[in-house]
Amino acid sequence: MPLPAGTPVGAQSDVTKADDSGRFVVGRVWSGDDMRPVLWTDGVPRVLDDAPGVGPGVVDVNSSGVVIGSSTAKDGTTLPWVFADGTYRVLEVPDYMNGTTGVAAINNRGDVVGSGMSSFTEDLASLVWPGGGKPRVLLTPEGQLSSATDINDDGVVVGWSLIEEGGREREISLRWKAWDQPGEYVYARNKNRGVVSEIRGNFSGGSEIFVDTGIFAGMVWDDLHGRFYPLPTTPESINDSGDAVTVNEQDGSQVVVAVNGTTRWKFPQRTRIATLPDRNPVTGPEPDAVGTIGAVGNNQAVLWHGCSDAIIH
């Protein structure tokens, strides 16, 4: 992907996230210690200058090109913000979470989720900003800590919490279908704990943790039909068809598989897919995958177009 005008020769770039179509991409460009957040729109880069605070970092972008991220204020506190129509706006945070609140994801309606440290409970608590407006705390079944990680376009939120199992605290995911009701624990097959981090449509991607062994295995969960699809590794990204980016354990390359287990694409080694755009039957400029290629000292933000769906043996 092209670098902004005036970028020094030899500068590096990478991708943090893209929207569901791949039209809008956020990431960073850096040379030495000079690191700047960037928004690419249809492949055209724009440095996101004049962010509030210092050290701005982008987190996510939706299909309207609205970007979320955070910076650090002079007093060391965190400033979560939204960038839209060329303007930054710092998100409102609860007084009892001031200084510790971060953002995690934005959906295409403009709803934002994140979390912060509550001074009341001294634990993490999940937040949703409906339409980027006033924040609401997301409740948990037993008042325990939680951290929201993603939200789909229906407003369903996923995140993680802790429960006691076998005399120890164990990680488990929560799923909030309604923002005024406590989240529900996510269990996979045979009462295995589920830990999901991404939700696209009715599909969630993450891991299941086997009760008897504690071993992790990747999975995609189709909540609409109540089905769990096993994966060899925890998916790096999923789309709203349930396609998932997994890792080939033999050579470390990334592979996209469909929910039926068919391998769709295999990428070169040293490829890191940040977002797997939704399938689009209309031929157009939208990329099939968005991410970064390269190694230390040679990172490049990349779009992949025209990937073949031939099965790789």
Side-chain angles (χ1 to χ4, degrees):
M1 296 177 68
L3 303 183
T7 301
V9 175
Q12 300 183 71
S13 61
D14 64 10
V15 170
T16 304
K17 203 74 174 176
D19 78 303
D20 296 338
S21 71
R23 181 187 175 201
F24 297 100
V25 180
V26 288
R28 56 183 182 164
V29 171
W30 72 95
S31 177
D33 295 331
D34 182 18
M35 187 174 295
R36 301 183 180 186
V38 175
L39 166 67
W40 285 272
T41 302
D42 294 327
V44 179
R46 173 181 183 174
V47 176
L48 301 186
D49 286 325
D50 303 321
V54 297
V58 290
V59 173
D60 199 6
V61 62
N62 69 11
S63 293
S64 297
V66 179
V67 180
I68 60 169
S70 64
S71 304
T72 303
K74 290 182 179 179
D75 61 1
T77 58
T78 303
L79 297 172
W81 45 256
V82 171
F83 178 86
D85 299 322
T87 303
Y88 282 97
R89 177 173 58 86
V90 176
L91 289 169
E92 180 180 336
V93 297
D95 291 340
Y96 55 88
M97 287 185 184
N98 189 26
T100 62
T101 306
V103 290
I106 183 171
N107 65 12
N108 290 327
R109 303 189 312 194
D111 306 319
V112 179
V113 291
S115 59
M117 189 71 68
S118 169
S119 59
F120 291 139
T121 63
E122 297 185 348
D123 274 327
L124 279 172
S126 296
L127 295 170
V128 59
W129 288 265
K134 289 185 175 296
R136 299 178 57 171
V137 175
L138 296 173
L139 304 176
T140 59
E142 301 171 57
Q144 72 273 52
L145 65 83
S146 70
S147 181
T149 58
D150 203 6
I151 182 170
N152 70 7
D153 290 341
D154 292 326
V156 180
V157 180
V158 294
W160 62 269
S161 183
L162 298 174
I163 60 169
E164 187 172 316
E165 183 180 277
R168 295 179 58 186
E169 285 191 327
R170 311 283 186 175
E171 186 175 355
I172 189 170
S173 277
L174 287 172
R175 187 172 183 275
W176 290 269
K177 290 184 178 180
W179 299 341
D180 59 353
Q181 298 293 322
E184 300 174 349
Y185 293 127
V186 173
Y187 286 98
R189 301 171 297 177
N190 302 318
K191 296 295 182 180
N192 295 328
R193 280 179 291 121
V195 180
V196 299
S197 58
E198 186 176 9
I199 184 167
R200 300 279 289 278
N202 54 277
F203 289 97
S204 297
S207 300
E208 62 176 328
I209 308 168
F210 296 97
V211 175
D212 52 348
T213 64
I215 295 174
F216 283 70
M219 72 167 184
V220 170
W221 172 31
D222 178 359
D223 178 54
L224 181 64
H225 301 99
R227 297 173 183 168
F228 292 90
Y229 299 91
L231 295 170
T233 63
T234 301
E236 303 293 322
S237 180
I238 63 172
N239 63 17
D240 69 355
S241 298
D243 301 329
V245 180
T246 64
V247 176
N248 183 318
E249 295 178 307
Q250 293 182 341
D251 63 12
S253 62
Q254 293 198 326
V255 179
V256 173
V257 297
V259 290
N260 63 4
T262 300
T263 297
R264 298 189 67 202
W265 314 317
K266 183 175 180 180
F267 292 89
Q269 293 184 36
R270 296 183 176 179
T271 294
R272 303 183 300 280
I273 303 301
T275 298
L276 193 62
D278 296 337
R279 296 193 193 192
N280 189 344
V282 179
T283 301
E286 294 84 359
D288 295 313
V290 185
T292 308
I293 195 166
V296 176
N298 186 32
N299 290 280
Q300 293 178 301
V302 178
L303 304 181
W304 284 265
H305 291 271
C307 297
S308 170
D309 278 347
I311 297 175
I312 299 173
H313 297 282

